[in-house]
Amino acid sequence: MNPQLVAVLALAAGTYAFRLAGPALHGRVELPARVQELLTTAATVLLVALLATGALMAGHEFAGWARPAGVLAGGVLAWRRAPFALVVVGAAAVTALLRLAGLP
């Protein structure tokens, strides 16, 4: 069997088992309140890190100022509780207009 296929199947099985662990262990494992608080904070930090790298980087280089400005505009719209479609379209419009104006 192809080693790459074996690796893909192993990763798929591990991912599936990891996803099943949550519902299977729910109610059986009691985490201390401090650990639950840390896990909540860790999830937030992870999401912010993903947002920052997605907004600021294109490959291994800086993406330019238009993309972070669009993300910022989308964040402001989301903070102001605008509808999701407006947040997405607003962020894309800001990015497109800045790129049209020559900002990378």
Side-chain angles (χ1 to χ4, degrees):
M1 187 180 278
N2 186 351
Q4 292 173 337
L5 180 61
V6 171
V8 168
L9 291 175
L11 289 173
T15 301
Y16 191 70
F18 190 73
R19 297 189 95 185
L20 279 179
L25 295 177
H26 183 70
R28 294 182 183 172
V29 176
E30 190 72 29
L31 295 176
R34 178 72 178 143
V35 172
Q36 290 179 356
E37 181 181 323
L38 287 174
L39 288 174
T40 302
T41 303
T44 303
V45 168
L46 179 63
L47 289 175
V48 170
L50 286 171
L51 175 72
T53 55
L56 298 175
M57 303 300 289
H60 294 288
E61 297 179 2
F62 179 58
W65 291 105
R67 189 188 299 178
V71 171
L72 180 63
V76 169
L77 288 171
W79 176 54
R80 301 297 300 167
R81 300 191 184 274
F84 180 71
L86 181 63
V87 170
V88 172
V89 170
V94 168
T95 302
L97 289 173
L98 289 175
R99 287 184 177 164
L100 186 65
L103 198 64

